[in-house]
Amino acid sequence: DIVMTQSPDSLAVSLGERATINCKSSLSVLNGSNNKNNLAWYQQKPGQPPKLLITWSSTRESGVPDRFSGSGSGTDFTLTINSLQAEDVAVYYCQQYYSSPHTFGQGTKLEIK
Amino acid sequence: EVQLVQSGAEVKKPGESLKISCKASGYSFTNYWIGWVRQMPGKGLEWMGIIYPGDFDTRYSPSFQGQVTISADKSINTAYLQWSSLKASDTAMYYCARLLTMVRGTYFYYMDVWGRGTTVTVSS
């Protein structure tokens, strides 16, 4: 199985500031057939199911605010949240869908400082 | 609107069997893989396995192979997750989710639509 490791496990950021979450995969998730990275980011707020934010490492889902952005390639990826809002408090997960099982990172808990 | 509606919370005793469901609507059920994700109390997400209702092809995570059974009934657009003998360690929230699917099921990707989850509590 591909192991996904996120850092940090938790972070606290002031409102209006930037939050950065990292995700590292144990194997490259770059899809050679389409030159895209098979990497997604999800947001899970308390008491809710996960919500898909970003696919292919950097493509925002429809309706996701543009303060959320994804970057990276191969084995190293980043989720950046600019101008943090109170409603962004959540746990964020990366997931590789390059090979089955589609493993998740352990999650990063984002709080307001 | 694409929706996945899961069955209600369950409270069971160790050793009992259980089957929970996930009813899909708003899309062609047989053209998308659908999967199950476990979230133990206070923990992260674990990809359990998936099924393609078009031909019932099923894939399991090695961590869950032999521990659960994933099935589907395409006549009623419903996927299932079942246990033959529950353990206390099966206590968790279980989510179903649809996977982006291409080329008639040959390729499956991220989980784009999620159910609200089914809480399973196993306690003597």
Side-chain angles (χ1 to χ4, degrees):
Chain A
D1 298 3
I2 295 178
V3 177
M4 306 300 290
T5 304
Q6 292 181 227
S7 62
D9 289 333
S10 64
L11 77 161
V13 175
S14 300
L15 290 172
E17 296 300 306
R18 176 183 300 166
T20 301
I21 299 171
N22 300 301
C23 174
K24 189 174 184 67
S25 59
S26 61
L27 292 173
S28 175
V29 299
L30 178 62
N31 188 333
S33 65
N34 61 8
N35 204 35
K36 293 183 177 183
N37 290 278
N38 289 26
L39 191 284
W41 289 95
Y42 300 84
Q43 175 193 63
Q44 187 178 31
K45 296 181 179 180
Q48 295 185 20
K51 173 188 174 184
L52 180 64
L53 292 179
I54 288 173
T55 62
W56 308 109
S57 80
S58 61
T59 302
R60 264 191 313 275
E61 281 292 280
S62 176
V64 174
D66 61 7
R67 63 179 181 273
F68 290 89
S69 63
S71 62
S73 185
T75 61
D76 292 280
F77 302 91
T78 301
L79 174 69
T80 302
I81 309 171
N82 287 310
S83 188
L84 189 73
Q85 305 294 302
E87 61 263 32
D88 300 334
V89 168
V91 179
Y92 293 85
Y93 296 93
C94 62
Q95 181 204 30
Q96 66 79 20
Y97 47 93
Y98 181 82
S99 70
S100 180
H102 292 175
T103 43
F104 293 93
Q106 80 276 19
T108 295
K109 186 175 184 179
L110 176 59
E111 299 173 311
I112 303 297
K113 188 187 293 183
Chain B
E1 180 193 4
V2 176
Q3 263 192 319
L4 297 174
V5 178
Q6 297 189 230
S7 49
E10 302 275 0
V11 180
K12 292 288 191 179
K13 290 182 166 42
E16 292 186 330
S17 62
L18 176 64
K19 192 173 188 177
I20 62 175
S21 66
C22 171
K23 184 171 177 59
S25 61
Y27 71 97
S28 177
F29 183 65
T30 55
N31 286 348
Y32 288 82
W33 289 81
I34 189 165
W36 292 91
V37 174
R38 184 175 78 175
Q39 188 167 39
M40 299 177 77
K43 301 299 183 183
L45 306 173
E46 299 174 270
W47 194 93
M48 301 176 70
I50 56 175
I51 187 166
Y52 186 67
D55 61 7
F56 303 110
D57 188 5
T58 309
R59 315 283 175 89
Y60 293 93
S61 165
S63 298
F64 293 93
Q65 180 83 49
Q67 307 305 307
V68 296
T69 301
I70 294 171
S71 60
D73 183 340
K74 53 188 178 183
S75 71
I76 54 171
N77 290 356
T78 301
Y80 301 96
L81 179 65
Q82 69 181 90
W83 297 259
S84 58
S85 180
L86 285 160
K87 301 184 282 286
S89 57
D90 293 317
T91 294
M93 176 74 83
Y94 293 89
Y95 294 102
C96 65
R98 187 184 77 166
L99 282 74
L100 175 71
T101 302
M102 294 184 177
V103 194
R104 295 186 180 184
T106 301
Y107 302 106
F108 46 91
Y109 302 106
Y110 48 84
M111 292 171 156
D112 62 351
V113 179
W114 293 68
R116 296 204 60 81
T118 296
T119 300
V120 173
T121 303
V122 183
S123 174
S124 55

